[in-house]
Amino acid sequence: MQAEFSLGELAVRFGLTLRGEPSLMVRSVATLSHANAGSLSFLANSRYRKQLESTRATAVLVSADDANHCPVAALIDPNPYLAYARIASLMYPEFRPAPGIHPSAVIGGGARIAPSASIGPLAVIEDDAQIGERVWVGPGCVVQKGVQVGADSALLSRVNLYPGVILGQRCILHAGVVVGADGFGFAPNDGTWVKVPQVGSVRVGDDVEIGANTTIDRGAIDDTVVENGVKLDNQIQVGHNVTIGAHTAIAACTGISGSTVIGQRCMIGGMVGFAGHLTIADDVVVTGCSLVSASIDKPGSYSSGMPTVETRLWRRMVAHLRRLAKKER
Amino acid sequence: MQAEFSLGELAVRFGLTLRGEPSLMVRSVATLSHANAGSLSFLANSRYRKQLESTRATAVLVSADDANHCPVAALIDPNPYLAYARIASLMYPEFRPAPGIHPSAVIGGGARIAPSASIGPLAVIEDDAQIGERVWVGPGCVVQKGVQVGADSALLSRVNLYPGVILGQRCILHAGVVVGADGFGFAPNDGTWVKVPQVGSVRVGDDVEIGANTTIDRGAIDDTVVENGVKLDNQIQVGHNVTIGAHTAIAACTGISGSTVIGQRCMIGGMVGFAGHLTIADDVVVTGCSLVSASIDKPGSYSSGMPTVETRLWRRMVAHLRRLAKKER
Amino acid sequence: MQAEFSLGELAVRFGLTLRGEPSLMVRSVATLSHANAGSLSFLANSRYRKQLESTRATAVLVSADDANHCPVAALIDPNPYLAYARIASLMYPEFRPAPGIHPSAVIGGGARIAPSASIGPLAVIEDDAQIGERVWVGPGCVVQKGVQVGADSALLSRVNLYPGVILGQRCILHAGVVVGADGFGFAPNDGTWVKVPQVGSVRVGDDVEIGANTTIDRGAIDDTVVENGVKLDNQIQVGHNVTIGAHTAIAACTGISGSTVIGQRCMIGGMVGFAGHLTIADDVVVTGCSLVSASIDKPGSYSSGMPTVETRLWRRMVAHLRRLAKKER
């Protein structure tokens, strides 16, 4: 159960302006429409201001502009969503199990596990792996030879780190994540393929979050690199020797082909495909379902996903395109 | 080994019209072209009627129209594919292991496991989870704190249910499924990201099937919801606070961004991308590889996937489009 | 630690022409730009010839044409990348653990495990599975009833083979791979779905590599087939009754719908979507992010992925297309 907090205490702790009774208590978060007594809610976008009117929340995090429309206590901040993130983190602290190694875990020779770390049931820690302070290795994880996991990181469950992978501090890896599988490298040989050994590794920085079933391949020779603060959603594929710049966020199902370098603070939509060997500038936005087939050297927003129309109309668009292209031969 | 059935028995049990000898026995199903003595086959689409001519099946499920073209015994039904599904389910009953808890499974304190349930080797059932009657938790599954699994559901293997997830009755979850990982929620803060705790859960209805390596995120505040009878193929991504309406079927590799609400009885093709915060009406069909970037308020068929042409021709189409768009500035 | 080799020895063993001192030793591979003393590098594409000039490698694998530009020892071959693959395989031999069954593995009755095989910690081998000579079943793998794994194959970790799957020799399956889950088959019944039992299996040939979290469904009636020498990257989805012809290579995130037959020696880009029931000729190339919605009967290169442009421009292209299509009604 989460603790209770008074509005006065929250205002002081997070530097918010309070308009209302400081002794009012909140003990859960809620959306404006589902809130009830004891709930703290937020309005991040003035577009939804109408929802304020009927909210039953005890208090709402709002911007100064929206505060006048708030029928209940208001906690005012220029960035209500950020304030919400911080307060919710206080009210719902991340679960961390007690330190110790579950008796069903299998620990290899030479593995160094910090005494404050927690190794869950049926986890495997192979030889010479290093597990930092307060790390949580959840049930069914496989941490292979020589892997290093930085302090305060969490491998939530069934995460797989291949040999030699290096993970920073305060990372969160969700279920089914695979880091360090072989990159897709084969040399053609008379209609067959000869495997090219993938002898690089993967280096993941600090404060990186990686979503469920995402895969990050090891480098062919040099390493694949995920810099500090990168946030990856579920089912993303990161090819060998890719670099993802610090604080870039990538939505689900995106695929990045080998050796592409993505800049810092980029925001990449879902199901975007990147060709290989590209360079993408810092501060680039790519909207969902786009194909990035050439390097991008300027910040800005880029797109190519075609939006759906009625199938009947779409058939005509496709036929039309084909006709035009043929005409121009 | 599956049992043997006489055509007479099948006709009676499933209300089919038999044209042929009731004492003929079938003991396996087969495609028309690979059938042989003892096989039951079906013709679901008159377009393939020609395959009837040469079939060596003992009997074929057909519509009345196709029956006249059937050279062997015919079991006649207006919906031969549905009849096939039911007979095949009789002939090939789903495997369920004997009740009991494998000695290698790890069971947390306070977990309630029905005596008729089966917990496979190396499964983890955490504290306070509730496992219903006749549930099968396969090898390597991780069922976390407080999860509820309804009667007769099967987690086939290496399935991961995060804390608090609620699963209905008669669900089938395939290997690698992850339900309840954190949604992708971060508040921007001066070029970095602050994690927004994902405090909602996931509620999955009855009779839901979820394909291998599909991921369904927990809600940010309210729950993510998958209603009764939904069928999800492999490698689908369902973002936080999505609702998928009853009896909707979604093909593989589709991604649904956060807070999108999909109606009932929709049929969504493979590799479709849905933007977030959309509302999709009931009975909508979306063809494969489409991008749904706006709400759809009427039933019907929608598309946007561009079909392949020769690369040479495609280059011209792309160049043409660019020229036109620039001209119109 | 990898061994050391003299250039003379490498030249003899791999039939290369050596221009330089045969007694020079190399003990690692490196890219041209990161190489240093003791490194062997390669130049596979003359386009990057400029990188030769400043390399600090001890020796470089090059074509005869590029050899003149090589400032250090040159090992000359018409196909330097292939030669590299072979030498790197010699210098970095695949790790294989010692034979034996880890005490934490769970082995079912009637399973036959070759004495030279290695079964890792917390693996599950179910009843009647057959594990060939020198096979490596890594940590957390689940090999279900009656599965056959051919000699020298490796299931690296957390791989899942459903009942009855047949895997050839010298295959490599990466973490999270699922082979043999049910295909997506449901018969419509008055707005609901009835499951069609998936009674086929999956047959995977020899020398097949399957990337992390890739899924290959079992056949509905007949088997799904992956022929010899096929290379599949990560997060690929292969539907029921698909056939993938020998030596075809498929990049990450591609999805292949049910019953599609892909020819031999095809090269399929990443995130390509194949509709179902298609036939694709041998030697077809499909570029990334294409939608293949019709059969392809001739070798050649095919495309449909739209490349990104600035979002502003893209909006105009989309609007333009819609206008044109409406005009033509």
Side-chain angles (χ1 to χ4, degrees), chain A residues 160 162 217 222 301 303-304 320, chain C residues 34 157 234 306 311 324 328:
Chain A
N160 205 101
Y162 272 57
D217 281 349
D222 296 331
S301 179
S303 303
S304 70
H320 170 76
Chain C
H34 289 154
S157 67
N234 296 356
M306 295 292 275
T311 301
L324 273 179
E328 290 178 24

Side-chain angles (χ1 to χ4, degrees), chain B residues 18 20 23 81 132 248:
Chain B
L18 171 61
S23 65
Y81 191 49
T248 282

Side-chain angles (χ1 to χ4, degrees), chain C residues 64-244:
Chain C
D65 275 6
D66 290 323
N68 297 327
H69 303 264
C70 184
V72 297
L75 285 161
I76 302 169
D77 189 84
N79 190 341
Y81 190 49
L82 178 60
Y84 168 75
R86 290 187 165 139
I87 295 177
S89 297
L90 174 72
M91 294 176 73
Y92 299 81
E94 272 177 41
F95 169 78
R96 289 296 167 100
I101 299 175
H102 194 278
S104 66
V106 176
I107 312 293
R112 284 191 284 160
I113 299 174
S116 58
S118 170
I119 310 298
L122 303 171
V124 175
I125 312 285
E126 294 190 353
D127 301 357
D128 304 317
Q130 298 178 34
I131 307 294
E133 296 290 346
R134 295 169 303 280
V135 164
W136 177 18
V137 177
C141 289
V142 176
V143 177
Q144 299 197 275
K145 290 194 180 53
V147 164
Q148 299 174 31
V149 180
D152 298 298
S153 284
L155 315 184
L156 290 185
S157 67
R158 297 196 305 100
V159 168
N160 205 100
L161 304 183
Y162 271 58
V165 164
I166 296 177
L167 192 70
Q169 303 189 7
R170 297 174 302 279
C171 293
I172 301 174
L173 274 60
H174 283 278
V177 164
V178 178
V179 182
D182 283 351
F184 197 60
F186 299 91
N189 178 31
D190 264 341
T192 71
W193 301 100
V194 173
K195 182 174 175 71
V196 179
Q198 303 290 300
V199 306
S201 185
V202 181
R203 284 178 284 129
V204 176
D206 298 331
D207 302 299
V208 170
E209 184 156 346
I210 306 179
N213 285 352
T214 281
T215 54
I216 304 177
D217 281 348
R218 66 192 313 112
I221 299 184
D222 296 332
D223 294 342
T224 302
V225 176
V226 178
E227 295 184 354
N228 292 342
V230 166
K231 309 298 180 189
L232 301 179
D233 200 350
N234 296 356
Q235 298 199 43
I236 289 170
Q237 151 68 3
V238 180
H240 50 184
N241 299 104
V242 163
T243 294
I244 303 179

Side-chain angles (χ1 to χ4, degrees), chain B residues 83 95 128 140 142 165 170 189 219 240 262:
Chain B
F95 170 79
D128 303 317
V142 176
V165 165
R170 296 175 302 278
N189 179 30
H240 51 183
I262 297 183

Side-chain angles (χ1 to χ4, degrees), chain A residues 5 17 19 21 58 73 107 116 128 132 134 143 156 177 199 218 232-233 259 264 285 293 297:
Chain A
F5 298 88
T17 303
R19 218 198 47 201
E21 174 56 59
T58 289
I107 312 294
S116 58
D128 304 317
R134 296 169 303 280
V143 177
L156 290 186
V177 163
V199 307
R218 67 192 313 112
L232 301 180
D233 199 351
S259 301
Q264 300 190 359
V285 173
S293 58
D297 58 6

Side-chain angles (χ1 to χ4, degrees), chain B residues 58-127:
Chain B
T58 288
V60 183
L61 286 154
V62 288
S63 66
D65 275 6
D66 290 324
N68 297 325
H69 302 266
C70 184
V72 298
L75 285 162
I76 302 169
D77 189 85
N79 190 340
Y81 191 49
L82 178 59
Y84 168 75
R86 290 186 164 140
I87 296 178
S89 296
L90 174 72
M91 293 176 75
Y92 299 80
E94 272 177 42
F95 170 79
R96 290 295 167 102
I101 299 176
H102 194 278
S104 65
V106 176
I107 312 295
R112 283 191 286 160
I113 299 174
S116 57
S118 172
I119 310 298
L122 304 171
V124 176
I125 311 286
E126 292 190 353
D127 300 358

Side-chain angles (χ1 to χ4, degrees), chain A residues 195-232:
Chain A
K195 183 173 176 69
V196 178
Q198 302 291 299
V199 307
S201 185
V202 181
R203 284 179 284 129
V204 176
D206 297 331
D207 301 299
V208 171
E209 183 156 345
I210 306 180
N213 285 352
T214 281
T215 53
I216 304 176
D217 281 349
R218 67 192 313 112
I221 298 182
D222 296 331
D223 294 342
T224 302
V225 177
V226 178
E227 295 183 356
N228 293 343
V230 166
K231 310 298 179 188
L232 301 180

